[in-house]
Amino acid sequence: MWRRLFEHWKKIRKGDKILVGLVLVLALAGVLYPFFWEWFGGDIGDLQVVINPVGSERQRIALAEVPEEGMELIVPGPIGDHLVEIFRDGVRVIAPEDDPLKICEKTGWIRRPGATIVCVPNQLGIWLEGSDDTGLDGISE
Amino acid sequence: MEGSKQKKQFDKRRFIGGAIAVVVIIIALWIRGVDEEVPTGERIQETRYFMDTVVTMQVLAENPEEKADQAFSAMKDLADRADRFNPESEVVKINERAGQGPVEIDEDVFAIIEKGKRIGEETGGLFTIAIAPLMDLWGFGKGMQPSVPDDEEIQQVLPLIALDGIELFPENNAVAIGREMKLDLGGIAKGAVVDYGMEVLKSLGVEAAFINAGGDIRVHGLKEDGTPWRIGIRDPRREDRGHLTDHVVEADTGSVVTSGDYERFFTENGERYHHILDPRTGYPARGLKSVSVTGELCVTADILSTAAFMMGEEALAFLEDYPGYEGLIVTDEGEILTTSGF
């Protein structure tokens, strides 16, 4: 099979060979891009996590500036401390032991602009801001 | 020779006529474009935390920050007046005088109660603003520890949550509730507050706006590029919040609200109990994972989505018949069904 392919290849014109080569290179780049996107100069975008404890100052952290291994933030509140885990590709909250429903923890990871985490007893709101490539203005949930 | 000259003249006239027609069409399209008044102001986005949720507002207008600030203040004020956990609220006034006759309250909160009772009755009582005693029994009130109550206790509470125990006196914005009854506007307040905020923005002359209070969304006007707002619907079949159904609502006016059994729940003896309680049984409603409702008013969509959640697959027929509103339901089996106009 490879020999026949080689025979055919020899018969193809030089311009067509360049074209085939170009298509193969582009296809390979397309496949590998997601794995090496940061190396190719890609970035996380302009996503920021906003941490808004009621009665305290609002905090903003750009996800692009978060260390690769992620970071943790303790946010104290009347019924205990919330642990906010921030990674470049998402944010989640671990609720304190005394939080009866642990709604914020059940929310899981948020990863897109506009997504929110609400910690009711501690009056803590966390959300992501930034530009969105989905073309959506909001999500009903 | 003569004939050919005549033909040439005829072609020229036709060309001039065609050119005039093209110019007229272009002018007509331009005038129509001007008529549509694609917004020209600046669009800003602002997010705040109140009503135990994250509220995001986008405003397209001249001086949008100032207008958003006014709308946020008005919304927060109404939310506080309608909050049964705020000792200063109008709802607390009513609850404290249960069984002691009518209580005069402010007209905004009266309007919410009136709407809640009226549309609640249209749902056959499946949505009730008198749900507080049952919510408290299950421990779904603010800061309470939830647990499964005794069935006997549930049966005792059921007569207290019926809408016919609420009497309205529109002439002086007064409300009376029966003994041991308690109002909870939690299932309606978010939608009502969103509508209120949008009315404030409209009165301030904003060209376009978008308000999202924890998934209760209302929009007004076209965006600056002349396109409608686009709203995705969460897919409750996936635990992660980032997953959406294939349905996208595009609108330049109206609301989208979703009720779901995710997040606000607890597990006891291996069984999951969520907070949308069925007033017929006193237990969490079963059969659906979520209901999304679209229509003009956010408050109505809020009530209908909660009531439809109790109905199982019959929700679809109910929403199909309800004038001006459409729905999407996700069943426990993961099937997505929509009304004909969704």
Side-chain angles (χ1 to χ4, degrees):
Chain A
M1 187 191 121
W2 289 109
R3 196 175 165 168
R4 280 181 65 191
L5 203 65
F6 185 65
E7 295 289 316
H8 278 299
W9 180 252
K10 279 206 296 191
K11 287 178 198 163
I12 296 173
R13 282 185 299 184
K14 196 178 172 188
D16 292 336
K17 283 180 183 168
I18 292 170
L19 193 67
V20 169
L22 203 65
V23 168
L24 285 175
V25 168
L26 285 174
L28 196 66
V31 170
L32 294 179
Y33 183 77
F35 301 102
F36 296 98
W37 64 284
E38 242 176 309
W39 186 75
F40 276 115
D43 67 84
I44 293 151
D46 57 354
L47 269 188
Q48 287 190 327
V49 58
V50 181
I51 299 158
N52 187 93
V54 167
S56 308
E57 207 164 307
R58 188 180 278 192
Q59 215 177 330
R60 277 174 195 279
I61 297 165
L63 295 195
E65 285 164 20
V66 172
E68 214 168 316
E69 65 277 14
M71 63 185 277
E72 291 180 350
L73 212 68
I74 305 279
V75 184
I79 62 153
D81 293 345
H82 280 94
L83 176 69
V84 184
E85 293 184 348
I86 306 167
F87 286 81
R88 287 182 178 182
D89 65 344
V91 176
R92 74 166 173 174
V93 172
I94 307 297
E97 208 40 52
D98 290 340
D99 185 341
L101 279 171
K102 294 188 171 55
I103 294 172
C104 52
E105 195 171 313
K106 289 169 189 164
T107 303
W109 292 96
I110 54 168
R111 300 179 197 277
R112 68 167 76 220
T116 60
I117 299 176
V118 171
C119 308
V120 177
N122 267 352
Q123 301 276 290
L124 170 67
I126 293 171
W127 60 89
L128 292 177
E129 285 183 359
S131 46
D132 191 354
D133 57 2
T134 62
L136 294 175
D137 297 294
I139 295 165
S140 184
E141 51 193 344
Chain B
M1 191 71 178
E2 192 68 22
S4 140
K5 198 180 173 188
Q6 269 180 355
K7 194 174 180 232
K8 213 172 182 178
Q9 279 176 341
F10 175 71
D11 284 348
K12 198 176 169 185
R13 256 186 258 134
R14 215 161 60 159
F15 173 75
I16 292 167
I20 289 169
V22 167
V23 170
V24 168
I25 290 168
I26 289 170
I27 291 171
L29 287 173
W30 179 75
I31 289 170
R32 191 164 175 262
V34 170
D35 267 358
E36 276 181 359
E37 284 182 18
V38 171
T40 51
E42 185 198 351
R43 174 153 59 119
I44 57 110
Q45 178 172 314
E46 170 72 29
T47 304
R48 296 190 188 173
Y49 181 93
F50 59 98
M51 291 193 287
D52 291 334
T53 197
V54 173
V55 183
T56 298
M57 191 183 287
Q58 291 189 48
V59 176
L60 176 55
E62 304 292 333
N63 302 321
E65 286 93 355
E66 199 184 302
K67 287 167 181 165
D69 194 50
Q70 285 188 48
F72 268 129
S73 299
M75 290 170 74
K76 168 88 170 60
D77 176 56
L78 179 60
D80 286 345
R81 283 182 278 147
D83 180 3
R84 79 166 169 116
F85 296 103
N86 169 20
E88 309 292 315
S89 79
E90 300 293 89
V91 177
V92 168
K93 269 195 220 170
I94 300 166
N95 289 346
E96 281 179 349
R97 288 187 52 86
Q100 298 173 47
V103 181
E104 273 185 50
I105 56 167
D106 74 51
E107 60 179 338
D108 298 321
V109 178
F110 182 84
I112 299 175
I113 293 173
E114 188 277 326
K115 199 158 273 173
K117 180 167 159 52
R118 181 166 45 83
I119 304 175
E121 281 165 352
E122 287 172 8
T123 68
L126 289 182
F127 175 85
T128 170
I129 51 172
I131 195 85
L134 187 61
M135 292 292 276
D136 289 350
L137 190 61
W138 279 85
F140 281 121
K142 199 181 272 185
M144 296 170 98
Q145 185 67 45
S147 63
V148 183
D150 288 339
D151 186 60
E152 203 180 318
E153 286 178 296
I154 290 175
Q155 301 313 319
Q156 278 171 4
V157 155
L158 288 185
L160 301 175
I161 64 171
L163 285 168
D164 53 17
I166 304 170
E167 259 188 287
L168 302 180
F169 304 87
E171 58 282 3
N172 58 345
N173 296 327
V175 180
I177 57 173
R179 245 183 88 235
E180 293 182 66
M181 284 184 75
K182 258 198 280 182
L183 300 188
D184 182 342
L185 304 185
I188 180 176
K190 260 200 295 178
V193 167
V194 168
D195 285 336
Y196 193 70
M198 191 58 87
E199 290 313 314
V200 171
L201 289 174
K202 282 186 192 174
S203 72
L204 294 170
V206 303
E207 298 168 85
F210 171 99
I211 303 177
N212 180 355
D216 284 22
I217 296 173
R218 180 152 176 199
V219 303
H220 158 69
L222 294 169
K223 290 186 279 184
E224 61 274 31
D225 58 1
T227 59
W229 302 93
R230 299 183 80 244
I231 299 151
I233 308 277
R234 179 180 172 176
D235 187 345
R237 297 168 298 180
R238 306 280 293 270
E239 279 201 9
D240 202 325
R241 270 199 166 188
H243 295 283
L244 307 176
T245 67
D246 294 334
H247 297 266
V248 173
V249 178
E250 291 191 344
D252 63 355
T253 182
S255 305
V256 188
V257 176
T258 298
S259 290
D261 69 352
Y262 31 84
E263 290 165 18
R264 208 167 161 200
F265 66 88
F266 66 94
T267 307
E268 193 171 298
N269 298 325
E271 193 155 354
R272 193 170 179 273
Y273 298 91
H274 63 79
H275 74 293
I276 307 179
L277 302 173
D278 187 333
R280 294 169 298 190
T281 63
Y283 287 85
R286 304 284 181 208
L288 297 180
K289 280 189 183 302
S290 73
V291 177
S292 301
V293 173
T294 62
E296 183 56 32
L297 294 177
C298 202
V299 64
T300 307
D302 212 355
I303 296 171
L304 295 180
S305 65
T306 306
F309 194 88
M310 320 282 177
M311 298 178 185
E313 288 191 27
E314 284 170 26
L316 210 59
F318 169 77
L319 292 170
E320 191 77 69
D321 289 344
Y322 200 91
Y325 289 79
E326 301 290 338
L328 173 149
I329 65 171
V330 182
T331 67
D332 272 351
E333 290 73 38
E335 200 179 358
I336 296 181
L337 306 165
T338 63
T339 57
S340 54
F342 194 90

